[in-house]
Amino acid sequence: MYKGGETDNLAAYQQLTKLNRLFLEKYPFMGSAIKSGFAAFGRTWADEFEELLTVMFPSEKELAAAADGYVRFALDVTRRQSRFDDDGCYPQKSFDKVAQEVYLNDNYMQSHYLPGLLLSHLLWPHHYRQSRFFIATFLRDMETMGARSFIDAGVGTGFLSRLTLQAIPEITGIGFDISPSSKKFSEHQVASFNMSHRYEVRVLDLCSTATKVESDWLISAEVLEHLEDPMLFLYKLRGILCSGGKGFITAAINAAEIDHIHLYRHPGEVKEQLQQAGFTVEQYQSIPAYKPRKADAPPPEVVAFIVT
Ligand SMILES: C[S@@+](CC[C@H](N)C(=O)[O-])C[C@H]1O[C@@H](n2cnc3c(N)ncnc32)[C@H](O)[C@@H]1O
C-alpha cells in the first residue's frame, strides 16, 4: 500500500490511478474528478483516498464495481438536482416509500447508494471539506478530551465512524441505522481496517424505537433531510447525548437526492431545530457544492454543527 508523503505525482498512487483510468475510459464525462481533487487538496487527499480504495476495493473487479456504482449515483443526483432547479422543491414521498425503495433494497444499496456515497466523501469537494472540518474540530476535541466511546446515528457507509476509530486507538463505537445493508457495509469497512473488535452496528429506526444508550460523543451526518419529522429525530438525539457531551450533526440543504424528503432551504432552519430540541450550537460550517448557476437556483450545500 502507498504509505504517503513521497511525491506530488498522481502516478505514485496505484488505485487512484486505476480509478482515474476507469473514469477516463468508461465514463469520459467524469474525466477530471480525480485530477481536480488532487489539484485542489493535494497529498493529504490522495493519501486518504488511496488508503480507502486499497483497503475497500483491492481487486480490479471491486474497484470497477465501486466506480460504476458511484457514477450511477452521481448521475442520479445530477438529474434530480436539475429537476429541483426548475421546480424549487423535492418530489413528495413518504419515508416508508423511501425505505422500501432505498434503505431496505439491498441490491440498490450495495451496487449504487453505498459505494456512491462512500466515494462522494472524497470526490465531492464539499463532502471532503466537511470531513476535514470534522477531523479538525470534533475529532480533535475527542482526542484531547480523552473520548472513550461514541455513537453514530444513521451510520450509512460508516465513513465517519471509521475515521474516528482510526484516529483514537482505544475508542469503541456503536452505529445505528435502519438499513441492514448500511450495517453490513459499515461493519465491512471497519473490519477491513482491522477495527471490528471496537465497533458494532445495530439495525433500528431511530425515529420510532428507543435506543436505551447514551454517549458523551455523538455523530449524526446527513440524516435529518431523510426524515418526515426531523424534530422527532433531534429529540431522540438529544436523549442519546449525555449532559456535558458533544455532538457533530449535519444536514444537506437544497440537495435533491433519491431519499431526501425534508427540504432545508437555509442552514439557519437546521440551527433553529437544533436549538428547539435543546442543543446549544458551539460552531458550524456551511459549504456549497458549487457557485450558484442561476439567481433563483441555490446550489446544494452541506452544513455541519458542533453542539453541546
Ligand atoms: C446519507 S446516509 C448517512 C451518511 C453517513 N452518515 C455517512 O457519513 O456516510 C443516511 C443514512 O441514514 C439512515 N436512516 C434514514 N432514516 C433513518 C432512521 N429513521 N433511523 C435510522 N437510520 C436512518 C439510512 O439508512 C442511511 O444509511
Side-chain angles (χ1 to χ4, degrees):
M1 190 200 300
Y2 176 75
K3 298 280 184 235
E6 291 162 18
T7 179
D8 284 332
N9 184 357
L10 185 60
Y13 298 87
Q14 237 180 52
Q15 290 298 89
L16 213 40
T17 302
K18 281 185 197 162
L19 184 63
N20 190 37
R21 201 176 311 130
L22 274 169
F23 283 158
L24 290 174
E25 285 169 5
K26 278 185 82 181
Y27 321 100
F29 48 90
M30 302 291 306
S32 65
I34 304 279
K35 284 209 166 146
S36 50
F38 196 38
F41 302 116
R43 290 208 306 234
T44 308
W45 174 86
D47 287 344
E48 283 175 40
F49 207 171
E50 179 72 8
E51 182 186 38
L52 180 70
L53 296 176
T54 308
V55 172
M56 287 293 284
F57 311 114
S59 70
E60 305 267 336
K61 196 173 160 200
E62 288 163 306
L63 191 67
D68 193 60
Y70 167 76
V71 171
R72 285 167 195 269
F73 177 81
L75 285 178
D76 183 65
V77 170
T78 306
R79 266 194 302 268
R80 288 173 196 277
Q81 194 65 30
S82 144
R83 217 171 301 149
F84 175 76
D85 286 350
D86 294 336
D87 299 350
C89 59
Y90 299 161
Q92 274 214 329
K93 261 190 202 177
S94 70
F95 180 81
D96 286 347
K97 185 169 189 303
V98 167
Q100 290 303 326
E101 195 181 358
V102 182
Y103 312 136
L104 305 177
N105 178 350
D106 191 50
N107 184 35
Y108 180 77
M109 290 294 279
Q110 300 294 347
S111 62
H112 290 55
Y113 188 90
L114 292 164
L117 203 54
L118 183 65
L119 295 192
S120 82
H121 282 296
L122 280 304
L123 285 173
W124 295 3
H126 62 311
H127 277 196
Y128 182 67
R129 287 195 173 98
Q130 180 163 276
S131 73
R132 299 310 302 171
F133 177 67
F134 171 78
I135 291 168
T137 57
F138 192 72
L139 204 45
R140 182 184 289 172
D141 282 353
M142 288 180 91
E143 283 175 293
T144 54
M145 294 165 80
R148 314 251 335 138
S149 63
F150 69 95
I151 285 176
D152 189 346
V155 72
T157 63
F159 184 73
L160 295 184
S161 281
R162 191 263 298 170
L163 289 182
T164 305
L165 292 160
Q166 262 187 309
I168 307 174
E170 299 296 318
I171 203 164
T172 60
I174 301 175
F176 289 100
D177 204 288
I178 196 172
S179 169
S181 312
S182 293
K183 169 182 166 68
K184 212 180 340 175
F185 193 93
S186 50
E187 285 185 340
H188 170 67
Q189 181 174 176
V190 168
S192 303
F193 281 83
N194 296 317
M195 302 182 298
S196 51
H197 56 293
R198 294 192 279 128
Y199 191 64
E200 68 169 295
V201 177
R202 301 181 191 166
V203 174
L204 200 69
D205 180 345
L206 282 157
C207 285
S208 62
T209 327
T211 55
K212 297 197 184 100
V213 288
E214 347 182 270
S215 180
D216 285 326
W217 299 94
L218 171 70
I219 300 164
S220 186
E222 280 194 63
V223 186
L224 294 174
E225 66 279 6
H226 297 243
L227 306 169
E228 280 175 16
D229 184 359
M231 275 314 298
L232 179 63
F233 183 75
L234 284 172
Y235 284 122
K236 299 267 183 189
L237 293 188
R238 187 52 272 185
I240 291 174
L241 186 63
C242 298
S243 145
K246 206 170 259 210
F248 182 84
I249 301 178
T250 83
I253 316 289
N254 295 312
E257 294 187 21
I258 184 169
D259 53 347
H260 289 184
I261 297 175
H262 184 89
L263 173 57
Y264 289 107
R265 293 186 186 276
H266 191 275
E269 294 169 11
V270 188
K271 188 176 177 201
E272 265 175 35
Q273 289 190 340
L274 286 163
Q275 288 167 335
Q276 200 183 323
F279 292 107
T280 301
V281 173
E282 214 173 63
Q283 61 172 310
Y284 73 95
Q285 190 190 52
S286 179
I287 312 160
Y290 43 77
K291 286 190 185 135
R293 291 173 183 150
K294 295 190 255 171
D296 55 350
E301 215 173 311
V302 282
V303 61
F305 293 86
I306 301 196
V307 297
T308 55

